[in-house]
Amino acid sequence: MQVETVLLYVLGVVIVAVGIALSIALHEIGHLVPAKLFKVRVGQYMIGFGPTIFSRKKGETEYGVKAIPMGGYISMAGMYPPQRKGGKPRASGTDAFVAEAEYEDAGRTSSTGFFQTLVQDARTASAETIPEGSEDRVFYKLPVVKRVIIMLGGPFMNLVIAVVLFAVVISGFGTQQISTTINTVSACVLPATSDRQKCASSDPEAPAAAAGLKPGDTIQSIDGTPATSYAQTSKLIRSSGGKELTIAVLRDGKPLTVKATPTLSEQSVADAQGQPVKGADGKLVTKKVGILGFTWAYELQQQPLTAVLPAVGNNIGQDFHLILNLPQRLIDVAKAAFGSGARDPNGPVGVVGVGRLAGEVAATNSVSLSQRLSTLIGIVASVNVALLVFNLVPLMPLDGGHVAAALWEGIRRFFAKLFKRRDPGPVDAARIIPLTFAVVIILGGMSLLLLYADIVKPITL
């Protein structure tokens, strides 16, 4: 049994790892396809970084896989304009790492000076140059709209993947929703204001227990009103304090009818998701309602396709909020990793952490196989949302940084034309390579912190 658990753990990690790798590959295809359509010369399409494990050249583009599976890139000619008039446009790459190939003048002398060295490091030399006749097939000469389309192609692909996978999870497998099935039956009914959590021998028996209701019973109707949902059925019971109800249930596939009278009790007000509502003072909002003394069970319920986009939108909003508060979140991660505190389960997590969660999900025998598979698909869907949001951050070398540079160029040219001034020319994004270098260092540090935290203080199920 132990061997089976280990194999399931490994299988979960592999499933999510393959899903993320395919997501990265499709992200880069999102850049590659419009770049090819707009006739930009693409030298490389690579998954991973570091030494090349496998590659094959088709036409002018080399397609391959590299040793470090931490992302991917396409290398486009002329993402940065030349530094001097008549200079050759230089290639660079997409996404959170600089490209590992570029195309420059043969015999070019090495750069000198700190900032020039940073630029050169960001545009690592390539073995081939841009062929004669391809000088106009460069990224920076494209209209602003086309450049934005190319750079947003990757995040858009992640959005499409996320929508498809969330549709599979939400409308295919279903999501955990409060059902009309009874989960537990209480021995007594305690008001929300009670200091006690356990029933005393002097407490009257709960109406549900007195009526003979049992865990697993599914309520079919109350006083002839069909039980269509948790919210509708709960509202009917809570509004019937002191009134005897005829409750039709299904027990082990057989219909059964019982009579029970909800007792009036001071209970917390619940929202549509069944969660207690708190007032402005932070205290529970309570009122007297009818209570039978049982809790509702959760079960997988397929949702309509109309629920998919709101779910994706909610996930995007959560990731944006996380990024906006990222400095504080990382401080919290560091405090937990190097201290005695626990990790925030809703905080940032690294690649190792995602893998551990995937393994735990797959090895959990307390839930069905379909639920485990649904959760693994949901993890890959959430990672795609994270890739979408992260790449939209308007900082080089992320996709959002290139989009911001293109839009700034468009704004400059618009006002130059409006005021009949000389065309200011393309924005030389290479000038902010030092900032790009700093961003890469910060991202690297963040990755190392999350890696350490995921090992010594992992987030668990």
Side-chain angles (χ1 to χ4, degrees), residues 367-395:
V367 297
S368 66
L369 178 61
S370 62
Q371 285 180 281
R372 283 180 273 176
L373 183 58
S374 172
T375 303
L376 292 176
I377 294 174
I379 289 175
V380 178
S382 296
V383 169
N384 273 275
V385 172
L387 289 172
L388 159 68
V389 173
F390 185 70
N391 274 287
L392 291 180
V393 174
L395 290 174

mmCIF file of all heavy atoms in Angstrom, residues 367-395:
data_model
loop_
_atom_site.group_PDB
_atom_site.id
_atom_site.type_symbol
_atom_site.label_atom_id
_atom_site.label_comp_id
_atom_site.label_asym_id
_atom_site.label_seq_id
_atom_site.Cartn_x
_atom_site.Cartn_y
_atom_site.Cartn_z
ATOM 1 N N VAL A 367 -10.574 10.673 -0.992
ATOM 2 C CA VAL A 367 -11.497 11.214 -1.998
ATOM 3 C C VAL A 367 -11.431 10.356 -3.253
ATOM 4 O O VAL A 367 -10.478 9.589 -3.456
ATOM 5 C CB VAL A 367 -11.159 12.685 -2.349
ATOM 6 C CG1 VAL A 367 -11.333 13.574 -1.135
ATOM 7 C CG2 VAL A 367 -9.732 12.808 -2.874
ATOM 8 N N SER A 368 -12.428 10.495 -4.117
ATOM 9 C CA SER A 368 -12.509 9.668 -5.315
ATOM 10 C C SER A 368 -11.432 10.044 -6.324
ATOM 11 O O SER A 368 -10.853 11.130 -6.267
ATOM 12 C CB SER A 368 -13.892 9.809 -5.959
ATOM 13 O OG SER A 368 -14.072 11.128 -6.455
ATOM 14 N N LEU A 369 -11.206 9.132 -7.263
ATOM 15 C CA LEU A 369 -10.219 9.370 -8.319
ATOM 16 C C LEU A 369 -10.598 10.579 -9.155
ATOM 17 O O LEU A 369 -9.741 11.380 -9.536
ATOM 18 C CB LEU A 369 -10.102 8.127 -9.209
ATOM 19 C CG LEU A 369 -9.132 8.221 -10.394
ATOM 20 C CD1 LEU A 369 -7.711 8.466 -9.897
ATOM 21 C CD2 LEU A 369 -9.198 6.956 -11.241
ATOM 22 N N SER A 370 -11.898 10.732 -9.443
ATOM 23 C CA SER A 370 -12.348 11.862 -10.259
ATOM 24 C C SER A 370 -12.105 13.183 -9.549
ATOM 25 O O SER A 370 -11.724 14.178 -10.176
ATOM 26 C CB SER A 370 -13.840 11.715 -10.599
ATOM 27 O OG SER A 370 -14.630 11.733 -9.422
ATOM 28 N N GLN A 371 -12.276 13.202 -8.223
ATOM 29 C CA GLN A 371 -12.019 14.422 -7.465
ATOM 30 C C GLN A 371 -10.529 14.771 -7.481
ATOM 31 O O GLN A 371 -10.161 15.940 -7.587
ATOM 32 C CB GLN A 371 -12.500 14.256 -6.019
ATOM 33 C CG GLN A 371 -14.013 14.326 -5.856
ATOM 34 C CD GLN A 371 -14.431 14.145 -4.415
ATOM 35 O OE1 GLN A 371 -14.483 13.040 -3.894
ATOM 36 N NE2 GLN A 371 -14.721 15.240 -3.746
ATOM 37 N N ARG A 372 -9.693 13.751 -7.374
ATOM 38 C CA ARG A 372 -8.247 14.001 -7.416
ATOM 39 C C ARG A 372 -7.820 14.526 -8.780
ATOM 40 O O ARG A 372 -7.029 15.468 -8.878
ATOM 41 C CB ARG A 372 -7.489 12.709 -7.072
ATOM 42 C CG ARG A 372 -7.478 12.398 -5.587
ATOM 43 C CD ARG A 372 -6.733 11.124 -5.292
ATOM 44 N NE ARG A 372 -7.606 9.965 -5.399
ATOM 45 C CZ ARG A 372 -7.198 8.709 -5.258
ATOM 46 N NH1 ARG A 372 -5.921 8.458 -5.015
ATOM 47 N NH2 ARG A 372 -8.042 7.712 -5.350
ATOM 48 N N LEU A 373 -8.351 13.910 -9.832
ATOM 49 C CA LEU A 373 -8.016 14.360 -11.179
ATOM 50 C C LEU A 373 -8.514 15.777 -11.411
ATOM 51 O O LEU A 373 -7.814 16.611 -12.004
ATOM 52 C CB LEU A 373 -8.622 13.408 -12.211
ATOM 53 C CG LEU A 373 -8.300 13.697 -13.681
ATOM 54 C CD1 LEU A 373 -6.804 13.701 -13.916
ATOM 55 C CD2 LEU A 373 -8.978 12.678 -14.591
ATOM 56 N N SER A 374 -9.710 16.067 -10.910
ATOM 57 C CA SER A 374 -10.273 17.413 -11.037
ATOM 58 C C SER A 374 -9.383 18.440 -10.347
ATOM 59 O O SER A 374 -9.126 19.528 -10.884
ATOM 60 C CB SER A 374 -11.680 17.444 -10.437
ATOM 61 O OG SER A 374 -12.185 18.762 -10.378
ATOM 62 N N THR A 375 -8.882 18.092 -9.158
ATOM 63 C CA THR A 375 -8.024 19.016 -8.421
ATOM 64 C C THR A 375 -6.709 19.251 -9.149
ATOM 65 O O THR A 375 -6.209 20.381 -9.204
ATOM 66 C CB THR A 375 -7.748 18.475 -7.011
ATOM 67 O OG1 THR A 375 -8.987 18.263 -6.333
ATOM 68 C CG2 THR A 375 -6.916 19.463 -6.202
ATOM 69 N N LEU A 376 -6.112 18.196 -9.725
ATOM 70 C CA LEU A 376 -4.860 18.335 -10.467
ATOM 71 C C LEU A 376 -5.049 19.231 -11.689
ATOM 72 O O LEU A 376 -4.203 20.084 -11.983
ATOM 73 C CB LEU A 376 -4.346 16.958 -10.897
ATOM 74 C CG LEU A 376 -3.864 16.030 -9.773
ATOM 75 C CD1 LEU A 376 -3.481 14.673 -10.329
ATOM 76 C CD2 LEU A 376 -2.698 16.646 -9.024
ATOM 77 N N ILE A 377 -6.164 19.051 -12.388
ATOM 78 C CA ILE A 377 -6.463 19.917 -13.537
ATOM 79 C C ILE A 377 -6.648 21.354 -13.069
ATOM 80 O O ILE A 377 -6.195 22.304 -13.710
ATOM 81 C CB ILE A 377 -7.713 19.417 -14.287
ATOM 82 C CG1 ILE A 377 -7.434 18.051 -14.918
ATOM 83 C CG2 ILE A 377 -8.136 20.418 -15.370
ATOM 84 C CD1 ILE A 377 -8.658 17.415 -15.545
ATOM 85 N N GLY A 378 -7.303 21.506 -11.913
ATOM 86 C CA GLY A 378 -7.497 22.846 -11.359
ATOM 87 C C GLY A 378 -6.182 23.515 -11.001
ATOM 88 O O GLY A 378 -6.037 24.732 -11.160
ATOM 89 N N ILE A 379 -5.197 22.738 -10.534
ATOM 90 C CA ILE A 379 -3.877 23.300 -10.220
ATOM 91 C C ILE A 379 -3.226 23.853 -11.484
ATOM 92 O O ILE A 379 -2.690 24.970 -11.496
ATOM 93 C CB ILE A 379 -2.974 22.231 -9.567
ATOM 94 C CG1 ILE A 379 -3.476 21.922 -8.155
ATOM 95 C CG2 ILE A 379 -1.517 22.696 -9.524
ATOM 96 C CD1 ILE A 379 -2.729 20.786 -7.477
ATOM 97 N N VAL A 380 -3.274 23.066 -12.573
ATOM 98 C CA VAL A 380 -2.689 23.524 -13.839
ATOM 99 C C VAL A 380 -3.429 24.768 -14.342
ATOM 100 O O VAL A 380 -2.807 25.710 -14.855
ATOM 101 C CB VAL A 380 -2.727 22.405 -14.899
ATOM 102 C CG1 VAL A 380 -2.157 22.903 -16.227
ATOM 103 C CG2 VAL A 380 -1.938 21.193 -14.426
ATOM 104 N N ALA A 381 -4.754 24.787 -14.187
ATOM 105 C CA ALA A 381 -5.538 25.957 -14.596
ATOM 106 C C ALA A 381 -5.112 27.193 -13.799
ATOM 107 O O ALA A 381 -4.935 28.282 -14.367
ATOM 108 C CB ALA A 381 -7.026 25.685 -14.396
ATOM 109 N N SER A 382 -4.923 27.038 -12.496
ATOM 110 C CA SER A 382 -4.513 28.161 -11.652
ATOM 111 C C SER A 382 -3.112 28.646 -12.001
ATOM 112 O O SER A 382 -2.834 29.846 -11.957
ATOM 113 C CB SER A 382 -4.583 27.751 -10.180
ATOM 114 O OG SER A 382 -5.910 27.459 -9.792
ATOM 115 N N VAL A 383 -2.220 27.713 -12.347
ATOM 116 C CA VAL A 383 -0.866 28.098 -12.756
ATOM 117 C C VAL A 383 -0.929 28.940 -14.032
ATOM 118 O O VAL A 383 -0.191 29.926 -14.182
ATOM 119 C CB VAL A 383 0.019 26.854 -12.977
ATOM 120 C CG1 VAL A 383 1.322 27.232 -13.660
ATOM 121 C CG2 VAL A 383 0.314 26.181 -11.641
ATOM 122 N N ASN A 384 -1.813 28.591 -14.948
ATOM 123 C CA ASN A 384 -1.959 29.378 -16.177
ATOM 124 C C ASN A 384 -2.479 30.777 -15.887
ATOM 125 O O ASN A 384 -2.048 31.741 -16.531
ATOM 126 C CB ASN A 384 -2.887 28.653 -17.154
ATOM 127 C CG ASN A 384 -2.156 27.675 -18.036
ATOM 128 O OD1 ASN A 384 -1.616 28.035 -19.078
ATOM 129 N ND2 ASN A 384 -2.124 26.422 -17.618
ATOM 130 N N VAL A 385 -3.377 30.899 -14.935
ATOM 131 C CA VAL A 385 -3.841 32.235 -14.542
ATOM 132 C C VAL A 385 -2.685 33.024 -13.951
ATOM 133 O O VAL A 385 -2.510 34.218 -14.231
ATOM 134 C CB VAL A 385 -5.004 32.131 -13.534
ATOM 135 C CG1 VAL A 385 -5.351 33.512 -12.979
ATOM 136 C CG2 VAL A 385 -6.231 31.523 -14.191
ATOM 137 N N ALA A 386 -1.855 32.352 -13.137
ATOM 138 C CA ALA A 386 -0.694 33.022 -12.547
ATOM 139 C C ALA A 386 0.282 33.476 -13.633
ATOM 140 O O ALA A 386 0.824 34.583 -13.567
ATOM 141 C CB ALA A 386 0.002 32.086 -11.561
ATOM 142 N N LEU A 387 0.521 32.628 -14.647
ATOM 143 C CA LEU A 387 1.398 33.003 -15.760
ATOM 144 C C LEU A 387 0.830 34.194 -16.522
ATOM 145 O O LEU A 387 1.560 35.106 -16.920
ATOM 146 C CB LEU A 387 1.584 31.813 -16.710
ATOM 147 C CG LEU A 387 2.436 30.649 -16.190
ATOM 148 C CD1 LEU A 387 2.370 29.472 -17.156
ATOM 149 C CD2 LEU A 387 3.877 31.090 -15.985
ATOM 150 N N LEU A 388 -0.488 34.187 -16.719
ATOM 151 C CA LEU A 388 -1.160 35.302 -17.401
ATOM 152 C C LEU A 388 -0.938 36.605 -16.646
ATOM 153 O O LEU A 388 -0.471 37.600 -17.216
ATOM 154 C CB LEU A 388 -2.658 34.997 -17.513
ATOM 155 C CG LEU A 388 -3.606 36.185 -17.736
ATOM 156 C CD1 LEU A 388 -3.400 36.779 -19.117
ATOM 157 C CD2 LEU A 388 -5.054 35.761 -17.535
ATOM 158 N N VAL A 389 -1.265 36.604 -15.371
ATOM 159 C CA VAL A 389 -1.190 37.828 -14.568
ATOM 160 C C VAL A 389 0.261 38.286 -14.407
ATOM 161 O O VAL A 389 0.573 39.471 -14.567
ATOM 162 C CB VAL A 389 -1.843 37.602 -13.190
ATOM 163 C CG1 VAL A 389 -1.628 38.805 -12.284
ATOM 164 C CG2 VAL A 389 -3.333 37.325 -13.359
ATOM 165 N N PHE A 390 1.158 37.351 -14.119
ATOM 166 C CA PHE A 390 2.556 37.690 -13.884
ATOM 167 C C PHE A 390 3.185 38.323 -15.119
ATOM 168 O O PHE A 390 3.932 39.295 -15.026
ATOM 169 C CB PHE A 390 3.324 36.432 -13.482
ATOM 170 C CG PHE A 390 4.748 36.684 -13.100
ATOM 171 C CD1 PHE A 390 5.055 37.357 -11.928
ATOM 172 C CD2 PHE A 390 5.785 36.257 -13.903
ATOM 173 C CE1 PHE A 390 6.371 37.599 -11.562
ATOM 174 C CE2 PHE A 390 7.106 36.494 -13.551
ATOM 175 C CZ PHE A 390 7.395 37.164 -12.383
ATOM 176 N N ASN A 391 2.886 37.767 -16.300
ATOM 177 C CA ASN A 391 3.486 38.283 -17.525
ATOM 178 C C ASN A 391 2.902 39.629 -17.956
ATOM 179 O O ASN A 391 3.452 40.284 -18.843
ATOM 180 C CB ASN A 391 3.333 37.267 -18.661
ATOM 181 C CG ASN A 391 4.453 36.259 -18.674
ATOM 182 O OD1 ASN A 391 5.578 36.553 -19.043
ATOM 183 N ND2 ASN A 391 4.149 35.044 -18.232
ATOM 184 N N LEU A 392 1.801 40.045 -17.352
ATOM 185 C CA LEU A 392 1.223 41.346 -17.678
ATOM 186 C C LEU A 392 1.820 42.476 -16.843
ATOM 187 O O LEU A 392 1.530 43.650 -17.092
ATOM 188 C CB LEU A 392 -0.299 41.315 -17.491
ATOM 189 C CG LEU A 392 -1.079 40.465 -18.495
ATOM 190 C CD1 LEU A 392 -2.579 40.528 -18.189
ATOM 191 C CD2 LEU A 392 -0.822 40.915 -19.932
ATOM 192 N N VAL A 393 2.649 42.137 -15.868
ATOM 193 C CA VAL A 393 3.306 43.177 -15.073
ATOM 194 C C VAL A 393 4.172 44.027 -16.007
ATOM 195 O O VAL A 393 4.998 43.495 -16.747
ATOM 196 C CB VAL A 393 4.177 42.547 -13.966
ATOM 197 C CG1 VAL A 393 4.965 43.625 -13.228
ATOM 198 C CG2 VAL A 393 3.302 41.760 -12.990
ATOM 199 N N PRO A 394 3.984 45.351 -16.024
ATOM 200 C CA PRO A 394 4.675 46.217 -16.998
ATOM 201 C C PRO A 394 6.135 46.493 -16.662
ATOM 202 O O PRO A 394 6.553 47.642 -16.506
ATOM 203 C CB PRO A 394 3.836 47.501 -16.967
ATOM 204 C CG PRO A 394 3.280 47.551 -15.584
ATOM 205 C CD PRO A 394 3.022 46.117 -15.196
ATOM 206 N N LEU A 395 6.912 45.445 -16.522
ATOM 207 C CA LEU A 395 8.339 45.555 -16.258
ATOM 208 C C LEU A 395 9.093 44.642 -17.213
ATOM 209 O O LEU A 395 8.672 43.519 -17.472
ATOM 210 C CB LEU A 395 8.673 45.161 -14.814
ATOM 211 C CG LEU A 395 8.220 46.092 -13.691
ATOM 212 C CD1 LEU A 395 8.506 45.454 -12.337
ATOM 213 C CD2 LEU A 395 8.901 47.448 -13.799
#
